[in-house]
Amino acid sequence: MTDEDRELVKLFEGLDTPGVSDALDKLGLGGHCFDVMPLANYSQAIVGPAFTVRYVPAANPAGTVGDFIDDVAEGDVVVIDNGGRTDCTVWGDIMTQYAGARRFAATVIDGVCRDVSRALSDNYPLFTRGRFMRTGKDRVEVGSINEVVSIGQARVVPRDIVVADANGVVVVPRNRAREVAEIARRIESVESKIREAIANGQTLKQSREALGYHLLQRKQS
């Protein structure tokens, strides 16, 4: 990763996808990856810059399906656009093993994975539309690397910041990352004060009104 990658990733340390999602809403930005869910209930959010891959239907003869992985850097999130296909996989145990050894942050797939036992035992973070055993070989091939892709309706530009946790996946436009992180932290601060207030006996209505909860996610004019 570059120095700027590390700086942007650090901005999101300690945040979660609900807070980042609310910040995106407030700024009128997209980035919510619909129907892409975690393989397990990861206890902490994973953050990293996107290394994007787009798959296309296989030609005859078929092209490669996984050689791109040698170009992914430590700390990157592999973001794979397989068009939402659930009839064949684009990620299995060998790629999981390699990704873990190379210390990738996670893999996000608009599609499915297989060999999930390896990912679960290695605690390698995977976010997909599901799992299915059928190979993608001779069915799909890599169409492009590090170009704009779509993941669950979210537009992902290479090196955008991906935040993923037990709730799902959001993608933050790189050029808005500082702004999004700042607002997400502001929202989390208010919500923390609300939790403290209700722990001290205030009603939820009182604490929300006092701290302006209902305005937190409202889109800026």
Side-chain angles (χ1 to χ4, degrees):
M1 289 197 294
T2 66
D3 289 343
E4 185 181 49
D5 286 334
R6 294 185 186 91
E7 176 200 350
L8 297 179
V9 167
K10 191 173 181 60
L11 292 175
F12 290 87
E13 287 182 359
L15 295 174
D16 57 18
T17 59
V20 176
S21 170
D22 289 349
L24 291 171
D25 281 345
K26 192 168 187 69
L27 292 168
L29 299 174
H32 308 84
C33 297
F34 293 99
D35 299 321
V36 177
M37 299 302 295
L39 184 65
N41 288 323
Y42 306 114
S43 58
Q44 292 183 319
I46 296 100
V47 185
F51 181 102
T52 63
V53 182
R54 183 173 62 89
Y55 275 82
V56 296
N60 188 12
T64 65
V65 292
D67 292 347
F68 68 85
I69 201 167
D70 291 321
D71 298 324
V72 182
E74 179 178 335
D76 282 359
V77 176
V78 181
V79 176
I80 300 175
D81 178 359
N82 195 29
R85 289 182 64 165
T86 57
D87 64 314
C88 64
T89 187
V90 290
W91 191 274
D93 60 346
I94 294 174
M95 297 179 80
T96 294
Q97 178 183 346
Y98 191 78
R102 293 284 293 270
R103 297 183 180 179
F104 302 171
T107 298
V108 175
I109 307 170
D110 197 350
V112 294
C113 62
R114 70 177 187 177
D115 302 317
V116 298
S117 295
R118 181 65 191 244
L120 291 169
S121 64
D122 288 2
N123 198 32
Y124 180 75
L126 275 174
F127 300 82
T128 75
R129 285 184 179 266
R131 58 190 83 177
F132 194 52
M133 82 300 296
R134 192 181 190 211
T135 182
K137 293 173 184 173
D138 297 330
R139 295 187 173 96
V140 293
E141 62 183 55
V142 174
S144 64
I145 296 171
N146 281 328
E147 295 184 0
V148 178
V149 298
S150 177
I151 303 293
Q153 301 181 37
R155 184 176 188 265
V156 188
V157 177
R159 315 315 289 174
D160 278 351
I161 303 302
V162 181
V163 184
D165 61 18
N167 302 286
V169 182
V170 289
V171 179
V172 179
R174 188 179 182 90
N175 65 343
R176 306 291 296 274
R178 294 175 180 84
E179 187 180 6
V180 172
E182 180 183 356
I183 291 174
R185 290 198 180 279
R186 194 184 312 154
I187 290 171
E188 172 54 32
S189 176
V190 171
E191 292 186 342
S192 179
K193 290 174 182 175
I194 291 172
R195 287 189 288 270
E196 182 180 354
I198 61 176
N200 290 328
Q202 274 196 18
T203 68
L204 185 58
K205 181 179 180 181
Q206 287 172 333
S207 59
R208 282 178 166 177
E209 287 180 349
L211 291 161
Y213 175 81
H214 298 294
L215 300 177
L216 283 180
Q217 299 87 1
R218 185 165 297 171
K219 185 177 177 180
Q220 293 179 348
S221 56

